[in-house]
Amino acid sequence: MHKRDQAMRSHFHEAAARRGFSVAPAQQAAVGRLSRLAAELARPTWTFPKPPRDLYVWGPVGRGKSWLVDTFYEGLPSGRKRRLHFHDFFRRLHDGVTRPGGRHDGQSAVDRALDELIGDSRILVFDEFHAHDAGDAMLIARLFRTLLDRRITLVTTSNYPPAGLMPDPLYHHLFEPTIKLIEERMDVLDVSGPVDFRRLAAAQPTGGRRFATGLCLPPGHTALEALGLTVPAPAEAAGVPAHLRELPARAVRGELVWFGFDALCETATAVPDYLALAERFGTLVLDGVPPLAAASADGRQRFANLVDVACDRDVRLILIGSDPLAALPADQALTRDLDRTASRLAMLRRAA
């Protein structure tokens, strides 16, 4: 066994032990494949007639997909590697492709944007790949082809098997060529198993994460006053610059921003807007939160994306209103996203 392979396997088991876990049986194949990839990447590129195979790690929420790829990434030598959450990566890619100037055709625009994003990195790791927006389907398809053709090793996680991407039946056919490309050119690793690491992690310290200090509270709860979260006065309303637009906040108080649910989730906002807010504010208050069963389908999806961004960018999220998870709708296109949202909201403290 190559020493880098063995070192990465040891790194996985030591990382699990530090968190009070052990590598689950369903994760063993992924640990082995990621460790072999570490050994392949350690070899000079000229020794490879072909680049290492790319990896697509998928499974239900709570099976440790992000932990696997993050631990792998941390165990790689520094330099020529890049990790991004898919939301952030795709936002930056989209901005680069659509930026005016120097664009002659779609391919050159994607190449230019990728050069800016990853430079000379040999490996790109991004978390939580998914495809819901039919308008982005072609750009995602181009992204995959370009990365694979440029010999950049890609490791990604998803809650969906490749065939389950773009689940809306009205648009699924648009993504079928990309699904075929993933299945042909990536090793697909299923880490489904009976162990839900969310339950194990619930007993672990938060590690100082700001997101885990967030709250879910009913309107008027005494905890709001104790935290100094008085209801905004009309005079506090302000426009907050986001991504190519201005969003109507109820208040801006230093590093805290306060929005109504309708203004942030029931209007035409998107992930780039939430990322822009996360770059500026450490705390986001969202009031008027309804049970998600009462929200529109788009509102539910935007809320799920907002929670994703807040968790990934470690923004403290304070939700005021109804329990958003009460009576979740049986919407097959959103089931996995809402399951992920539920696992993240479970990290927030509830009112006593």
Side-chain angles (χ1 to χ4, degrees), residues 105-151:
D105 56 64
Q107 181 64 49
S108 66
V110 172
D111 284 341
R112 184 193 63 216
L114 284 173
D115 286 340
E116 294 173 356
L117 277 168
I118 58 179
D120 67 346
S121 296
R122 287 187 64 194
I123 181 163
L124 172 66
V125 175
F126 56 63
D127 199 14
E128 296 188 1
F129 171 69
H130 65 269
H132 291 297
D133 187 342
D136 290 334
M138 298 306 294
L139 184 55
I140 294 174
R142 180 68 65 82
L143 161 67
F144 266 76
R145 288 188 174 86
T146 302
L147 289 175
L148 298 175
D149 291 342
R150 290 179 61 170
R151 299 172 64 92

Side-chain angles (χ1 to χ4, degrees), residues 15-294:
R18 285 195 299 270
R19 298 183 62 182
F21 303 156
S22 59
V23 176
Q27 296 177 325
Q28 292 286 358
V31 166
R33 183 64 189 88
L34 287 164
S35 298
R36 291 196 301 276
L37 177 57
E40 293 167 356
L41 291 168
R43 295 174 55 184
T45 54
W46 60 265
T47 65
F48 272 97
K50 295 182 179 180
R53 291 270 296 178
D54 305 275
L55 302 183
Y56 183 102
V57 183
W58 80 275
V61 171
R63 268 54 185 181
K65 301 181 296 296
S66 296
W67 177 81
L68 284 166
V69 298
D70 286 347
T71 302
F72 164 73
Y73 185 82
E74 292 163 2
L76 294 175
S78 59
R80 302 199 69 185
K81 65 178 183 178
R82 189 76 187 271
R83 182 213 179 274
L84 286 169
H85 190 280
F86 183 69
H87 282 322
D88 199 8
F89 180 88
F90 194 65
R91 185 271 303 256
R92 297 186 189 187
L93 177 67
H94 191 275
D95 286 351
V97 169
T98 57
R99 185 187 309 123
R103 176 174 180 174
H104 301 290
D105 56 64
Q107 181 64 49
S108 66
V110 172
D111 284 341
R112 184 193 63 216
L114 284 173
D115 286 340
E116 294 173 356
L117 277 168
I118 58 179
D120 67 346
S121 296
R122 287 187 64 194
I123 181 163
L124 172 66
V125 175
F126 56 63
D127 199 14
E128 296 188 1
F129 171 69
H130 65 269
H132 291 297
D133 187 342
D136 290 334
M138 298 306 294
L139 184 55
I140 294 174
R142 180 68 65 82
L143 161 67
F144 266 76
R145 288 188 174 86
T146 302
L147 289 175
L148 298 175
D149 291 342
R150 290 179 61 170
R151 299 172 64 92
I152 297 168
T153 300
L154 174 64
V155 176
T156 187
T157 69
S158 181
N159 293 333
Y160 299 83
L165 293 167
M166 191 68 75
D168 190 325
L170 292 176
Y171 304 111
H172 182 77
H173 68 282
L174 298 174
F175 213 68
E176 287 178 345
T178 304
I179 291 171
K180 182 179 180 182
L181 183 69
I182 290 171
E183 292 175 337
E184 289 176 349
R185 298 179 63 175
M186 303 184 76
D187 288 343
V188 179
L189 305 176
D190 181 358
V191 296
S192 301
V195 178
D196 186 339
F197 286 91
R198 293 172 296 176
R199 297 180 181 179
L200 300 179
Q204 301 297 317
T206 64
R209 292 203 72 229
R210 185 165 49 190
F211 180 80
T213 68
L215 297 163
C216 289
L217 300 170
H221 193 275
T222 55
L224 292 170
E225 185 176 349
L227 293 169
L229 295 175
T230 56
V231 175
E236 290 186 88
V240 176
H243 180 71
L244 305 179
R245 76 185 79 201
E246 189 173 83
L247 300 177
R250 295 194 64 194
V252 176
R253 300 170 181 172
E255 63 89 45
L256 177 149
V257 65
W258 189 313
F259 283 98
F261 182 90
D262 286 350
L264 206 55
C265 299
E266 291 290 8
T267 55
T269 56
V271 167
D273 297 310
Y274 312 147
L275 289 166
L277 294 175
E279 289 167 1
R280 177 177 171 186
F281 299 101
T283 298
L284 191 152
V285 180
L286 192 69
D287 69 11
V289 177
L292 292 184

